[in-house]
Amino acid sequence: MTSWLRTYGSVPLCLLLFCLVVAVCAQRSSASVCWSPSITSCKECLTRGPQCAWCFKEDFLDGAVASQRCDLPVKLLRRGCEPEFMEQSEVKVEVNATTSSTQVSPQDISVTLRPGSQASVVVAVKQLKRYPVDLYYLVDVSASMQENLDHLKTVGVALSLRMTEHSSDLQLGFGSFVDKPVSPYINVHPSKISNPCSDYEIRCRPAHGFHHVLGMTGNISEFTRVIKRQRISGNMDTPEGGLDALLQAAVCQRDLGWRPEAKRLLLLMTDQPSHLALDSRVAGIVTPNDGLCHLENNVYTGSTRQDHPSVGQLSDKLLENHMYLIFAVEKQQYKWYEALVHLLPGSYLGRLGLFQAPNLIELVVDAYKKLLSEVSVSVSVEDKAVSRYWVSVSPLCPNGSMAKDQSCSWVQPDQTVYFNITIGMHSCPDNGEDEDVKVVVRPAWDSLWEILRERRLLLPVRRGVDMWRSWCVCVSTCQSYWKCVDCHLSHGLTQKEAGHCNSTCESLVGYRDDVLGQAGEKWIQCMYISNDRCRYRFQTSSQSGQTQLHISTRAECASNSRLVGTFLCVCALTVLCGMVVVAVSRLLLQKRNLTPGGAAEVTVYHCTGKDLSYIPTSNEKTVSYRRESPPDRPVEMHIQDSKMPLGDPWQY
């Protein structure tokens, strides 16, 4: 019996010891959630997590270290710290029910957060039957569009009547484009610049990159009157400057009168393809498009100074300004624009035999219906605090609709979509003080805007039939970050001033002495040339859904001393080459003057005043010439010449 206990009795004892160790470890683990010997302040304590609390009672645990004041509230209570002496992470959500909206509710929510905490709210978005709509007609007015321009004159009134079924407030705008007014796109003869159609005895308007004619207006009669006054223009090549004009129409919101609350439709009408980025190099224009508004007196002034935008750049600006793009093209160009639509999120293509009024109206209505079926919300945090908060959105779609990422599609009018929005706080401001941060939640009428905002399109440069093959993997283009890099350069590439660029940069930006050391498959190496012609290298990466941007602080500039050194080197090389040419020429001349037998003899006299009496009156020389046959019979020739004046050339 004793032997059995000695052999097996240790098993319960070991099990008991194991359970005791687990309990102690579990207790210590739970205590370590908040407690740490390095904690010395309330701020450090509360950043440990939303479940932690700090006891600020003066006589709490007299003689204990400061770290003992940070723990779970229940443990602090056991040690004698009353709840009124506890500072803990407070999460509070208050809804203001006094304000209401027909589309979004609630309208005003107040959330109190601590570092490490989060809160969730539910926002309801109702799909309305009618929305305000802004529709801007961007029309190609080259000579081939004359008949189509005539058809457009009858669209205004008919479209207004048809859209009353779907929109509570329709406003129309109008603008025109042709091409860049430079050679070789247009004829630059003085008579052709003012009237491109002078050969046909027709009065045309001058070619232009983009002309904003009529801002958004609900006066349909005014729209019709403006259309009737339009005249065609002319250019030399087949492609037009459509993408150039599209970007200006999207970014010049104030000039065109785009309303922030309206659904924005941008309709491009053309019968030809469009120029792409780099096409302007044939005209000597090498400056990339900066993506900014350049309207002066309603005319695009940057047309002759900068290149056409790239497709990726145009895509960014359409997403940024919430534009829904509609292409109305003739069937001959349908395939070209069909490939383009795949590279422009939120665009719609309509095939028209002729731009007749009924076809245009149906195209606009169909595009509007497609737009209306998507419901999503966009959440934006103030620039000053965007790095200290995170937001997630989860939709709850009604019956009959379908959840897609952060949106619901095929939502019918009067249906309601609920969005569970969670906002969390990473850290406090640098000064440690409380702050009020504004977070805006608003309906985004097309989910593509928010889903694809962080994505960029990489367009192949090769031209041809297969240029538009599908690849967008989604890769960040270098040009899309130029504006961000320029902002950081203007603030001296210092972390202290980096916050000024939060509105310009959507990526996480860091500075490096040299970015070439981190080259790899996940990093894209890029280059930016500043206004002072200095080159700055930077690299981007989009791993794990977070876009990162590293900017090199080492500028590559061409100094004046380097230019002077280069100039002196070129001059020295030029002189050296000249000397070599002269030396080679003299050598060739000497070889040419050699005698046929390969022997030449030159007699040079150097005479001074003392030696003049010794100059002979005649010279006699014996020159022997040997021939190869017969070798034993040399031929000798005696030459005798009379004395010649000093300095005269000697001849024989």
Side-chain angles (χ1 to χ4, degrees), residues 588-638:
L588 293 177
L589 288 175
Q590 289 180 3
K591 288 186 177 181
R592 184 177 180 182
N593 291 333
L594 288 176
T595 57
E601 184 175 346
V602 179
T603 303
V604 180
Y605 294 97
H606 298 280
C607 300
T608 63
K610 179 179 179 181
D611 298 330
L612 290 177
S613 59
Y614 296 98
I615 298 177
T617 58
S618 62
N619 295 327
E620 183 174 344
K621 292 185 178 182
T622 301
V623 182
S624 299
Y625 291 93
R626 296 185 180 277
R627 297 177 299 182
E628 294 182 0
S629 177
D632 56 343
R633 298 177 59 186
V635 178
E636 295 185 353
M637 179 181 298
H638 296 272

Side-chain angles (χ1 to χ4, degrees), residues 547-564:
T547 302
Q548 299 184 49
L549 180 66
H550 289 169
I551 305 175
S552 174
T553 57
R554 186 181 303 173
E556 301 174 10
C557 305
S559 62
N560 293 332
S561 59
R562 183 178 177 184
L563 294 177
V564 173

Side-chain angles (χ1 to χ4, degrees), residues 380-431:
S380 59
V381 183
E382 278 188 88
D383 294 339
K384 66 177 182 180
V386 68
S387 63
R388 298 193 297 274
Y389 292 85
W390 58 268
V391 178
S392 67
V393 178
S394 177
L396 179 61
C397 301
N399 294 332
S401 63
M402 180 176 58
K404 180 182 178 183
D405 294 322
Q406 296 183 357
S407 67
C408 296
S409 59
W410 306 111
V411 180
Q412 300 301 316
D414 289 334
Q415 286 186 329
T416 301
V417 179
Y418 295 94
F419 293 91
N420 183 38
I421 301 175
T422 303
I423 180 170
M425 184 178 182
H426 292 301
S427 61
C428 288
D430 295 336
N431 57 16

